[in-house]
Amino acid sequence: MRAGPTQEEVRRHNLGTLLRYVHVHGATSRAELTNRLGLNRSTIGALTAELISVGLVSEAAPRETGRAGRPSLVVRPESGRVYAYALSIEVDRLRAARVGLGGRILEQYETERPPGMSADDAVQPLARFVRQMRAGVPDDARCVGSGLAVAGMVRRADGVVRLAPTIGWVEEPVGEALLTELGESGRLTLGNHADVCALAEHSRGAAVDCDNVIYLYGDVGVGAGIVAGGHRVTGHGGYSGEVGHMVVNPYGRPCSCGSRGCWETEIGEHALLRVAGRADRTGKDAVLEVVDAAMRGDSQAQHALRQVGDWLGFGVGNLVNIFNPEVVIFGGTLRDVYLGAAAQIRSRLNAVGLPACREHVRLRTPELGADAALIGAAELAFEHLLDDPLLS
Amino acid sequence: MRAGPTQEEVRRHNLGTLLRYVHVHGATSRAELTNRLGLNRSTIGALTAELISVGLVSEAAPRETGRAGRPSLVVRPESGRVYAYALSIEVDRLRAARVGLGGRILEQYETERPPGMSADDAVQPLARFVRQMRAGVPDDARCVGSGLAVAGMVRRADGVVRLAPTIGWVEEPVGEALLTELGESGRLTLGNHADVCALAEHSRGAAVDCDNVIYLYGDVGVGAGIVAGGHRVTGHGGYSGEVGHMVVNPYGRPCSCGSRGCWETEIGEHALLRVAGRADRTGKDAVLEVVDAAMRGDSQAQHALRQVGDWLGFGVGNLVNIFNPEVVIFGGTLRDVYLGAAAQIRSRLNAVGLPACREHVRLRTPELGADAALIGAAELAFEHLLDDPLLS
């Protein structure tokens, strides 16, 4: 329980609110800001001036509006001058980007992550990407920090990857290793891959204006980023959303976690490829080939999609009963499974989900694709700035 | 996205914060309020004076402290003068209470709810209880509204009980019926039984100071009230927490909801009594008899407790992976199952729950017992007042 803010705190809060607005919505006229933020014109003017003075936004006349009267000035985030480094460690890829305020990817790099690659070895190319980007940054640009998304369970406090079964890491101090490699003590915030994708899709993708969101991400494993009542569900230690280890089939197959019949044993890519008779294959392309084969009439591929789609709808039904969300987003390989088995998924969801819990739920594919992890990782870095734009 | 508050809004927020503090923590010295709320002494004095002037708190010298110096005045909520009516419709009971600010139950009534009792018939005794209490209320006391907890899915907007399978109601306008019966247009807020119990245990019971809480309530059905990151998880329409309809056993028994193998078919009281060979019995007493029989060495009762405990731990493991909570509370008949099968539950939870998700989770019984529903229902009514104490 906390007392209300002082006037100075209110002013800083308002600065953050204005900056966050243009960060999320892009260039916005002063008139619209006045409307949206419920502040008067002179306050908006003063806040904008202050944000301009610290180099976070710029202001310009709008293009010809065709309407009479003096046009309202347009405020836009300084995407080219204020940026964060965004990094992502995924099962089969390593990605890095420089992301400007406003969520614009300014440049990006990626490489494969071969199976079995150690944490130390994965840190090298990421650090190299950052050094490359650093060399080309304009002199007057300002870095606000870095965000790193990892396809695993991350202890945010100290940047240790607790457990990343699909990557094969346990208790790896990835954050520390990366900072050491970069030779700096900069601000680095870690997050779980599905969590940051949810963050990105919630702020500027398929779940804009939704307060209750489940973002599912699948590859070998399955995880979720969850928003409830407009707030991110993170859990006590930051380990929530491990929906891939919700047991759905107590008589099912052993899972890498040591349990049996976890959801990811039924809907992860191994399950799809196994049922499709392609257990020797792996990866996103192999999943896409199954969907393509099913479209072309391959009955075993169709059977695999139906079976996996059925289990996918089953687990979504459970989550819908628990969260009563407005939208469920299918990311990673689950996107392709969803596109190939939407009717099956909806049918099982309708059987498992209670009518009241599922009546308004929309099923969606991501709008940001593979960029979601980078945009979301950058959001982790921008968060400090948006909370208090005057903090350096 | 909203701009920061005006000075007047800050003052009202601070009034609410102070009132909420003494509402939750009881009598508190001005010195402690200064500490806890981070406001200076003169501000605390002014806020207290304003709350006294509208009759919400009183102030008095503390009892002898034994310490030198002028003792700090003690601020306490006006529990006798400011109250809410709290009502609860449960599977087998109807309860009503008058609850004073500060969460003190001033008086309460209850009666049985026979199986099959209609919504209209259930409203009668509740309205009668309220009329009885009303007759004895002191002239200078002030009612801030009423809260009604229902063991079912409630549409908060219009007070309609959407679905209460264990009670047998579908689309019943209970809120409207109750207000009509009481002949008044007072403020009535409805909530789900498990949700309001969670609210009560979170604010003044077994989950005080915990930001991530799962409160499970079981009788014939099973539901949950969930707090994540300090916020109540309610879902888009207010229907979240239907964990009893998380399917845990796809090859299990048909459920009243039309699905199969829902968690409540494995851990609800019917399951326990069936496995214990007592399918002809029903209700809390019958569950207690099974636990007692198991303690005395009855092998069939022991077997039933082990089996139900196993499924209970199984589902809790799923929820722990999804929410990473600090505490799970077992209410209703699940309290007795927990007490009779704690080892079994913990063992299965450890097998299903990922180490990081479960490492800090404590398993607890409720501290407020059957009062939780009434205290929680009253909280629904007090919420308006605590948000803005000057609103009448």
Side-chain angles (χ1 to χ4, degrees):
Chain A
M1 234 170 275
R2 219 181 140 265
T6 63
Q7 273 184 278
E8 170 61 13
E9 286 170 333
V10 170
R11 193 178 63 92
R12 287 184 172 233
H13 173 88
N14 285 343
L15 283 171
T17 304
L18 198 162
L19 185 62
R20 195 181 289 271
Y21 195 91
V22 298
H23 171 66
V24 171
H25 297 89
T28 309
S29 73
R30 278 201 193 186
E32 190 180 338
L33 287 170
T34 304
N35 254 328
R36 297 294 174 145
L37 272 51
L39 294 168
N40 63 37
R41 286 202 300 175
S42 68
T43 304
I44 292 290
L47 294 171
T48 305
E50 186 151 9
L51 292 174
I52 291 173
S53 76
V54 291
L56 294 171
V57 304
S58 63
E59 204 172 30
R63 301 203 193 120
E64 198 50 62
T65 61
R67 280 186 298 177
R70 199 174 62 161
S72 178
L73 291 170
V74 166
V75 183
R76 65 185 77 234
E78 281 278 22
S79 300
R81 286 179 59 200
V82 182
Y83 66 93
Y85 290 111
L87 309 167
S88 178
I89 298 175
E90 300 165 26
V91 169
D92 57 354
R93 313 296 291 171
L94 299 170
R95 296 177 203 270
R98 200 159 66 81
V99 180
L101 191 63
R104 210 171 92 207
I105 295 185
L106 302 170
E107 51 183 323
Q108 65 174 306
Y109 296 84
E110 65 174 276
T111 185
E112 288 191 357
R113 198 195 80 88
M117 184 186 235
S118 75
D120 282 345
D121 287 345
V123 160
Q124 306 295 330
L126 289 175
R128 196 173 62 241
F129 291 151
V130 172
R131 282 191 295 263
Q132 279 169 4
M133 291 188 278
R134 230 191 239 158
V137 170
D139 282 345
D140 64 344
R142 167 181 166 203
C143 176
V144 302
S146 305
L148 168 60
V150 182
M153 302 173 81
V154 165
R155 188 161 58 218
R156 212 163 148 163
D158 62 1
V160 166
V161 175
R162 286 286 302 271
L163 179 71
T166 61
I167 295 185
W169 299 351
V170 178
E171 292 285 341
E172 291 286 354
V174 176
E176 197 183 299
L178 189 64
L179 286 176
T180 304
E181 189 60 35
L182 288 170
E184 64 170 61
S185 55
R187 184 175 253 161
L188 173 68
T189 310
L190 272 74
N192 167 270
H193 177 83
D195 282 347
V196 307
C197 290
L199 191 57
E201 294 287 347
H202 182 233
S203 59
R204 53 185 90 239
V208 167
D209 295 330
C210 293
D211 277 344
N212 299 277
V213 181
I214 296 176
Y215 174 96
L216 294 174
Y217 186 88
D219 44 41
V220 178
V222 171
I226 296 165
V227 175
H231 304 282
R232 291 157 64 195
V233 173
T234 57
H236 176 55
Y239 307 122
S240 69
E242 290 295 332
V243 298
H245 299 284
M246 165 173 70
V247 179
V248 293
N249 186 356
Y251 312 106
R253 304 173 77 89
C255 179
S256 64
C257 75
S259 186
R260 176 180 288 275
C262 292
W263 199 21
E264 68 182 40
T265 67
E266 300 291 353
I267 65 166
E269 67 181 50
H270 289 336
L272 182 75
L273 294 166
R274 186 183 65 242
V275 185
R278 300 165 187 233
D280 55 324
R281 305 267 287 117
T282 182
K284 289 196 181 83
D285 291 343
V287 171
L288 274 176
E289 285 166 25
V290 173
V291 177
D292 286 347
M295 297 292 176
R296 289 195 311 273
D298 177 326
S299 65
Q300 193 169 1
Q302 288 172 340
H303 168 67
L305 265 183
R306 269 199 310 275
Q307 181 172 321
V308 170
D310 196 54
W311 279 111
L312 182 51
F314 183 99
V316 169
N318 278 357
L319 294 176
V320 161
N321 286 341
I322 295 170
F323 287 103
N324 180 209
E326 291 144 273
V327 60
V328 178
I329 304 171
F330 298 89
T333 55
L334 296 179
R335 174 184 178 278
D336 306 306
V337 173
Y338 171 68
L339 292 174
Q344 193 76 29
I345 292 166
R346 190 40 110 158
S347 158
R348 177 59 71 172
L349 162 57
N350 286 351
V352 169
L354 298 171
C357 295
R358 66 172 154 80
E359 65 190 347
H360 292 121
V361 72
R362 286 169 290 147
L363 308 184
R364 288 278 181 278
T365 54
E367 286 183 9
L368 305 174
D371 289 347
L374 293 173
I375 292 172
E379 293 294 342
L380 295 179
F382 284 128
E383 225 154 67
H384 311 286
L385 182 74
L386 299 172
D387 282 345
D388 189 348
L390 301 187
L391 271 188
S392 58
Chain B
M1 234 168 277
R2 218 181 141 268
T6 64
Q7 273 184 278
E8 170 61 12
E9 287 171 333
V10 169
R11 193 178 63 93
R12 285 182 173 236
H13 173 90
N14 285 343
L15 283 171
T17 305
L18 197 162
L19 186 60
R20 196 180 287 272
Y21 195 92
V22 298
H23 171 65
V24 171
H25 297 89
T28 309
S29 73
R30 278 202 193 186
E32 189 180 338
L33 287 170
T34 305
N35 253 330
R36 296 295 172 142
L37 272 51
L39 293 167
N40 63 38
R41 285 201 301 173
S42 69
T43 303
I44 293 290
L47 294 171
T48 304
E50 186 149 9
L51 292 175
I52 292 172
S53 76
V54 290
L56 294 171
V57 304
S58 62
E59 203 171 32
R63 301 203 191 120
E64 197 51 63
T65 61
R67 281 188 297 179
R70 199 174 61 163
S72 177
L73 291 170
V74 166
V75 182
R76 67 186 77 233
E78 281 279 21
S79 300
R81 286 181 56 199
V82 182
Y83 66 93
Y85 290 111
L87 309 166
S88 177
I89 299 175
E90 300 165 28
V91 170
D92 58 353
R93 314 294 291 173
L94 299 170
R95 297 176 203 271
R98 201 161 64 83
V99 180
L101 190 63
R104 210 170 94 205
I105 295 184
L106 302 169
E107 50 182 324
Q108 65 175 305
Y109 296 84
E110 65 174 276
T111 184
E112 286 192 359
R113 197 195 81 89
M117 183 187 236
S118 75
D120 282 344
D121 288 345
V123 160
Q124 307 295 329
L126 288 175
R128 196 173 61 241
F129 290 152
V130 171
R131 282 192 294 264
Q132 279 170 1
M133 291 189 278
R134 230 190 238 160
V137 170
D139 283 344
D140 64 345
R142 167 182 166 201
C143 176
V144 301
S146 305
L148 167 61
V150 182
M153 302 172 81
V154 166
R155 187 160 60 219
R156 211 162 148 165
D158 62 2
V160 166
V161 175
R162 288 284 303 270
L163 180 71
T166 59
I167 295 185
W169 298 352
V170 179
E171 294 285 341
E172 291 286 355
V174 176
E176 198 183 297
L178 189 63
L179 286 176
T180 305
E181 189 60 36
L182 287 170
E184 64 169 62
S185 56
R187 183 175 255 161
L188 171 68
T189 310
L190 271 74
N192 166 271
H193 178 83
D195 282 347
V196 307
C197 289
L199 190 58
E201 294 286 347
H202 182 232
S203 60
R204 54 185 89 241
V208 167
D209 295 330
C210 293
D211 277 344
N212 299 278
V213 182
I214 296 175
Y215 175 96
L216 296 173
Y217 186 88
D219 44 42
V220 177
V222 172
I226 296 167
V227 175
H231 304 282
R232 289 157 65 194
V233 174
T234 57
H236 177 54
Y239 308 122
S240 68
E242 289 295 334
V243 298
H245 299 283
M246 166 173 70
V247 179
V248 294
N249 187 357
Y251 312 106
R253 304 172 78 90
C255 179
S256 64
C257 75
S259 185
R260 177 179 287 277
C262 292
W263 199 20
E264 69 183 41
T265 67
E266 300 290 354
I267 65 167
E269 68 182 50
H270 289 336
L272 182 76
L273 293 166
R274 186 182 66 242
V275 185
R278 300 165 187 232
D280 56 323
R281 305 269 285 116
T282 182
K284 290 196 182 82
D285 291 344
V287 170
L288 274 175
E289 285 166 24
V290 174
V291 177
D292 285 348
M295 298 291 177
R296 288 195 312 272
D298 177 326
S299 65
Q300 194 168 0
Q302 287 172 341
H303 168 66
L305 264 184
R306 269 199 310 273
Q307 181 172 320
V308 170
D310 196 53
W311 280 110
L312 182 50
F314 184 99
V316 169
N318 279 355
L319 294 176
V320 160
N321 287 341
I322 294 170
F323 287 103
N324 180 207
E326 290 144 272
V327 60
V328 177
I329 304 172
F330 298 89
T333 55
L334 296 180
R335 173 183 179 278
D336 306 307
V337 174
Y338 171 68
L339 292 175
Q344 192 76 29
I345 292 167
R346 190 40 110 159
S347 159
R348 177 58 71 172
L349 162 57
N350 287 350
V352 169
L354 297 171
C357 295
R358 65 173 155 80
E359 65 191 348
H360 292 119
V361 71
R362 285 168 291 146
L363 308 183
R364 288 277 181 280
T365 53
E367 285 183 7
L368 304 175
D371 289 347
L374 293 172
I375 292 172
E379 294 294 342
L380 295 178
F382 283 129
E383 226 154 65
H384 313 285
L385 181 74
L386 299 173
D387 282 346
D388 188 348
L390 301 188
L391 272 187
S392 58

